[in-house]
Amino acid sequence: MSLRLPAWTATLTWKSVCFIVGMCCSLAAVLGVLVHVEVTRQTVSTAREKALGKLHEASQAYEAGGPLPPESGLDPDGLPPRLRALAVGGHRGTVVADHRGRPVMWAAAPADGRALATAVDYGQSARTINGLDNAIIGSSALAIGGTLLVGAFAVTRVTRRLHQTATVARRITRGDLDARVGDPRTRDPSRHQDEVATVAAALDTMAGSLQAKLESERRFTADVAHELRTPLTGLQAASELLPEGRPTELVQERVRTMRQLTEDLLEISRLDSGSEAVETDLHQLERLVRRVVRASGTETDVVVVRDAHVETDRRRLERVLGNLVANAHRHGRAPVVVTVDGPVVTVRDHGDGFPDYLVAHGPQRFRSGGNGKGHGLGLTIAAGQAEAIGARLTFGGAQGGGALAVLTLPGT
């Protein structure tokens, strides 16, 4: 089983912090190693020169037969074996080693088959190197902490602006076309824009264009529907004067269809504009559902599991339920069952079920599945009216087959 990291590790802030820490640690390590190596090289070189200078004095004293300097002698105790062997072999050399509990720099040279050696205290140099290492570690930790705080502050400012842009995008997706990011960098032309400001400006421009386009389409739809009402009313009146017969029935049916389509378009325009107020009152849900079923003139079963009183707009709720029942009979198969379970009303048929696009994305105007009848406006109006009264309307498949529409009224 693979290890699943927490969700917060996928955020840009976390990744940026990790990157900053990694880069700071790498840079501090490289600089620390370089400084340590260079200072150690210089310190060892100075100690070596001092030890070789003292060895030269000891060699002169040995050749003159005089007393040797302090810490000097032939084959002295504590002389490292490797250095002794080097000197006996006829070469000079130096090495750092512990002697009597303290670090010393040994220097040795050949002297009549023996090793003439001298020692120089290396403790101060070792303490200097250790102090330097501690200073490097401390300063690196402080630098990493400071850089991390500054970097986290800078990254948080960027991510906060990105979150704001994403929030506005989600609001636009939910239909709030007035939402704008309004990044201050986009308002002042003299300020240079960064990438986040560019994205925010592009989103605001897109939202403005989308809003203008939808407003234009909304006005066009409303204007067309209004213009069609008068000639259709006259056409309907004229059709009533035609002699009875099958042709007359066909004409009257088409006129009624056109009038219903026009009324639906007007209702969708009003829903889009939000121009109508919601008038709420307390209603008994069972009685309201039975009234809708009787008005539909269809054979629809009503099952009441638990009745409820709901505070809602009766006209809008009846419109939602009426459209759902009509759609079930038009696109599904009998029996159609309306179930009341508290403030939840379900409408089920036993047909082929809702199309996949409708379940995934909701109803779409002028797109109708099933047998191809209708214009896709009935469910669109139902969804719009449900949203207007604060209800939640979902579409799915029923267990055992068929379409299932679930209307959940407020207060659940």
Side-chain angles (χ1 to χ4, degrees), residues 70-334:
E71 301 294 332
S72 302
L74 293 172
D75 295 330
D77 294 336
L79 182 64
R82 288 192 304 164
L83 185 58
R84 185 191 304 273
L86 183 67
V88 172
H91 301 282
R92 292 198 312 169
T94 58
V95 69
V96 177
D98 288 336
H99 179 58
R100 296 175 183 175
R102 59 189 179 91
V104 297
M105 172 67 76
W106 286 98
D112 300 329
R114 301 173 67 184
L116 176 63
T118 185
V120 175
D121 183 30
Y122 191 73
Q124 182 61 39
S125 299
R127 286 190 294 271
T128 300
I129 294 175
N130 290 334
L132 176 65
D133 291 342
N134 293 332
I136 290 175
I137 294 174
S139 60
S140 297
L142 290 176
I144 291 173
T147 305
L148 182 60
L149 291 177
V150 174
F153 174 74
V155 171
T156 302
R157 291 190 61 186
V158 174
T159 55
R160 187 185 301 117
R161 293 165 60 199
L162 288 175
H163 282 305
Q164 181 183 1
T165 303
T167 300
V168 171
R170 284 190 289 267
R171 288 174 57 189
I172 295 173
T173 302
R174 290 193 295 266
D176 184 7
L177 298 181
D178 292 325
R180 297 292 186 274
V181 179
D183 194 304
R185 291 168 179 78
T186 63
R187 302 172 186 169
D188 188 357
S190 63
R191 299 182 63 178
H192 296 291
Q193 295 188 12
D194 57 9
E195 288 78 1
V196 179
T198 302
V199 172
L203 179 63
D204 288 348
T205 302
M206 181 199 70
S209 300
L210 180 62
Q211 185 178 30
K213 181 179 180 181
L214 291 179
E215 288 292 341
S216 176
E217 292 180 354
R218 187 180 301 161
R219 287 193 299 270
F220 175 77
T221 302
D223 292 343
V224 169
H226 276 293
E227 293 297 327
L228 286 176
R229 293 183 75 179
T230 301
L232 284 175
T233 300
L235 186 59
Q236 183 177 17
S239 67
E240 299 293 337
L241 302 177
L242 295 175
E244 295 183 359
R246 182 58 181 166
T248 300
E249 293 177 358
L250 292 176
V251 170
Q252 292 175 346
E253 180 184 356
R254 294 297 181 269
V255 171
R256 284 194 296 270
T257 301
M258 287 291 294
R259 280 184 59 85
Q260 183 60 48
L261 177 59
T262 302
E263 294 299 328
D264 288 345
L265 289 174
L266 284 172
E267 185 167 358
I268 286 178
S269 298
R270 289 192 293 268
L271 285 172
D272 289 341
S273 62
S275 58
E276 290 187 345
V278 178
E279 300 176 357
T280 61
D281 201 355
L282 193 63
H283 301 280
Q284 183 181 359
L285 193 54
E286 177 186 0
R287 183 180 304 172
L288 190 147
V289 169
R290 293 190 184 278
R291 182 166 57 245
V292 170
V293 170
R294 284 195 302 270
S296 68
T298 60
E299 295 184 2
T300 303
D301 299 328
V302 178
V303 177
V304 179
V305 178
R306 178 169 56 94
D307 195 10
H309 286 79
V310 294
E311 186 174 359
T312 186
D313 188 317
R314 181 182 61 81
R315 181 188 66 83
R316 292 176 183 269
L317 180 55
E318 288 181 348
R319 180 67 159 147
V320 174
L321 296 176
N323 282 15
L324 293 178
V325 171
N327 182 82
H329 282 281
R330 182 179 296 116
H331 299 289
R333 288 191 296 270

